[in-house]
Amino acid sequence: MSFAPGARLSGRTQADTRGASKLMRSVIVQLSISVDGFVAPASGAEDHRAAPEDPALKQVKLDWLRHAGTHAMGRVTYQEMAEHWPTSTDDYAAPMNELPKVVFSKTLETAAWKDSRVARGDLAAEIASLRAEPGGDIIAWGGASFVQALSRAGLVDEYRLVINPVALGRGLPLFKDLPAPLTLCLVQATTYEDGSVLHVYRPAAQ
C-alpha cells in the first residue's frame, strides 16, 4: 500500500542579489529506524538494521541514489562506511563510492575515502555552501547526533525513514532537544512484505 500526494522535492529556491531565484539543493535525511523512533540501539544491543532488506525497498533506494549528488554524514558513520563500501560488491557500493562525500567533524584530521572532504565550520554555514553547489540532492546518512543537529537547526528538507518492525526500548533517538515541536507532512507511505514501512516526510510550511 502506498500513496504520494506531493511531487518529488527537488530543491529550494533562494533569491540572488539581482532579485532572480535559483534552485538550491535539498538536504534529505535517509535512515532506518525502529518503530519506537531509535536510529541505533544502545551499545551492545542487537542492531535492527542488520536484517535483510526487502528487494522492492532496495530498488527504491537505488533509484533515489541516482538523483543524489553528495553524501553527508558525521564522523562515526563516515568511518564505518569508509571501512565497508570500498571493498563491497553490493549494488549500493558504486553510488556510495563514486559520489562526493562530506564528513562533518571537529576532530577527524583526514578523510581518505575516495572523493571525501571534512567540514569543520559552522553547521548551518557548511550546509548553505553545499546547497549552493550544482548537482543532485544532499543525502544525510547519520549518525544520530548529526541528524539531530540538522533537525534542531531546521536544515532538513525531507525525511526518508524506513521503519523496521522492531521496538528497541532504548537507543539513539532520531530527534533530540528540538527547540519547538516539528510538524511534518507525510507525502509518501509504502508497506513492504517484510513488515517494514517507508515514510517520507517534509517539514510543514511555516
Side-chain angles (χ1 to χ4, degrees):
M1 177 177 69
S2 67
F3 68 91
R8 177 181 175 274
L9 183 67
S10 57
R12 59 169 62 182
T13 58
Q14 183 180 73
D16 63 21
T17 56
R18 295 164 297 179
S21 62
K22 58 183 178 180
L23 194 65
M24 306 290 285
R25 297 202 292 171
S26 293
V27 175
I28 299 173
V29 166
Q30 187 166 315
L31 289 172
S32 294
I33 64 172
S34 64
V35 294
D36 48 351
F38 292 108
V39 173
S43 179
E46 183 179 353
D47 195 335
H48 65 285
R49 298 167 296 181
E53 190 171 48
D54 185 283
L57 173 59
K58 184 169 188 174
Q59 188 57 55
V60 169
K61 292 166 69 176
L62 285 168
D63 289 342
W64 279 340
L65 280 172
R66 295 187 181 98
H67 297 284
T70 301
H71 299 303
M73 61 200 79
R75 177 185 59 81
V76 174
T77 298
Y78 175 83
Q79 290 174 326
E80 291 173 348
M81 288 190 172
E83 182 177 351
H84 174 76
W85 289 118
T87 58
S88 173
T89 58
D90 190 277
D91 291 341
Y92 289 128
M96 294 305 299
N97 288 317
E98 293 169 4
L99 288 175
K101 291 158 280 286
V102 180
V103 52
F104 288 75
S105 175
K106 302 289 188 182
T107 60
L108 189 66
E109 294 184 0
T110 60
W113 190 9
K114 178 184 175 183
D115 291 331
S116 296
R117 69 176 180 86
V118 181
R120 296 186 175 87
D122 173 76
L123 178 62
E126 293 280 8
I127 291 294
S129 179
L130 283 176
R131 286 189 191 279
E133 294 177 3
D137 297 326
I138 303 161
I139 308 299
W141 295 103
S145 61
F146 175 54
V147 171
Q148 291 163 3
L150 290 173
S151 296
R152 283 194 297 269
L155 298 174
V156 179
D157 299 300
E158 186 168 287
Y159 294 87
R160 297 172 178 172
L161 306 177
V162 177
I163 305 168
N164 292 311
V166 59
L168 298 179
R170 60 195 181 100
L172 303 178
L174 175 60
F175 299 103
K176 185 177 181 181
D177 298 330
L178 291 173
L182 176 61
T183 302
L184 301 173
C185 296
L186 180 66
V187 298
Q188 181 178 340
T190 308
T191 303
Y192 294 93
E193 292 185 0
D194 65 353
S196 61
V197 180
L198 170 63
H199 280 182
V200 179
Y201 295 95
R202 295 174 194 157
Q206 300 300 314

